[in-house]
Amino acid sequence: MKKKISAKTKRLRRIFFIVAFTAVGIILCQLYWVYFNFQTAKANFNQSATVTLWQSIDTCLLAQNTLPPSLGEMQPSLTFMMKKQANADSAGAAPTFSMKMVTVDVNADQLYWARMLLIRLLSSNENKTLRLDTLTEVYHHQLKGVGITEQFKLAIDTNSRLIRPGQIAALTHIDKRPAVVRAELINKRAFFFKMNFIPALVSTLLIALSAFSLFYMGRIIRKQMQLDTMKTDFVNNIIHELRTPLTILRTSNEAMSSFGASHDEQSLMRYLGINSLVIDDLDKNIERILDFSKIEQGKRTPMLESIDLIFLLKQAQLRFSQVNNAAINISSDEEPFEVVTDKFMIGVIVSNLIDNAIKYSTDQPKIEIVVRRLDNSWQLLIGDEGIGIPKSSIPFIFDKFYRVPTGDVHEIKGYGIGLAYVKQLVVELNGKIEVASEPGKGSVFTITFNA
Ligand code: ADP
């Protein structure tokens, strides 16, 4: 039968999907942001490096050529000769020219560009060679001025104007020929790593944090959903467990009142005996649930005293060996085995484990109890040759309401709180509990307490 999904579970699922969708969105935005950031930084870097290359070429050319002194005066100016064909309109006549001297003022904003333009024009007209080592030195010096400390390899090419990806270039003239100056980062990888390290680190952290939150939330929601199902099972179980004793009580009541059992003393005693057993059983189960909740809420703290563990175990042995004819063996190096613990708590631990060992054995239960001392601790082992626990269920058996799934119907009665209660008590007593089990062979529960 397929289990009905509760409204709460459905709501949790919906929330999970919304959160998952949001988290994936955040992660994608982060990735896009890193990529966009990288592209922008790369473009800015290339632009700065290119502008600086042009400026470095100009600086070198400036050192090689002489500019008109009028550009260095208080009021910079340029004087040039305008040559004009005077008889351009009269066809067939030999051309005559007129000349005119023009002086123009160069203001502060134009001065830099005027100087550079002149330098480029002058050097393209002369047989001058741009020295690569000088240019490299000037370039690196000027790069530092704009905050770039990376090393570039420069090359001057008068044959081809091809620029490969990753290269930056500027045009100039060498020996009257047009030339391309190419610059390429020497250690590209280190540069891009440095450029992206902090944003990538921040993003990676954010992405990891988002992914972890999503994963953690998923786990909590899954656990919550499991708990929800287990709680429903628990309530169903309890109702079922209450119905059975009620039916027994009702039947024996009817027998006593309708069939005259009250006049037959033997039958009366038998029915009363059954009723009292059923009531005891009910009482025990209710006590167990209430006690568990008290321990869980921290309302019951351990009351430590020195006890003989063997005596306590023998009492349990006496009580349980009547159930299903269980064979319970106790072994210890010491007798008495004195320990300081909470008598009630250790009693509940032992009872619950023996109870389970009997419940989960198919034939006559064979239970082996061992107590032993270690260096700074003592151990209590309760083993059985019962049905064992599948490996996949072992991590969950100490969870509240968990029962090893056996299909839709549970043959063996229980609420799934016995081991959770045991674990809670062991933790209260500062101990730890472990289990080793193999389906079909049996289980051993080992509890270790500090001495
Ligand atoms: P329950 O009320 O179901 O017995 P417990 O919390 O005591 O609840 O145990 C949880 C589950 O662990 C049980 O449903 C059972 O499947 C498994 N289990 C516990 N003890 C044993 C055991 N000794 N042998 C096999 N299975 C066990």
Side-chain angles (χ1 to χ4, degrees), residues 426-444:
V426 170
V427 170
E428 281 294 320
L429 293 170
N430 284 328
K432 68 170 190 213
I433 182 162
E434 288 155 309
V435 60
S437 185
E438 206 175 314
K441 292 208 169 152
S443 317
V444 180

Side-chain angles (χ1 to χ4, degrees), residues 247-268 270-271:
T247 313
I248 299 172
L249 287 177
R250 187 179 296 123
T251 317
S252 69
N253 234 20
E254 275 169 9
M256 283 191 286
S257 60
S258 322
F259 306 117
S262 51
H263 303 300
D264 173 354
E265 200 178 329
Q266 220 181 354
S267 303
L268 187 66
R270 196 159 59 87
Y271 283 122

Side-chain angles (χ1 to χ4, degrees), residues 45 48-49 52-53 55-56 136-152:
F45 176 83
S48 300
T52 311
L53 184 62
Q55 286 171 349
S56 304
T136 308
E137 202 174 304
V138 170
Y139 186 43
H140 282 142
H141 178 73
Q142 294 200 341
L143 279 178
K144 261 192 203 134
V146 291
I148 299 175
T149 49
E150 273 63 41
Q151 295 291 305
F152 281 82

Side-chain angles (χ1 to χ4, degrees), residues 58 67 111-122:
D58 290 341
L67 279 174
L111 186 61
Y112 174 80
W113 298 110
R115 281 157 64 99
M116 291 311 148
L117 182 67
L118 264 181
I119 279 297
R120 280 173 207 166
L121 288 173
L122 287 172

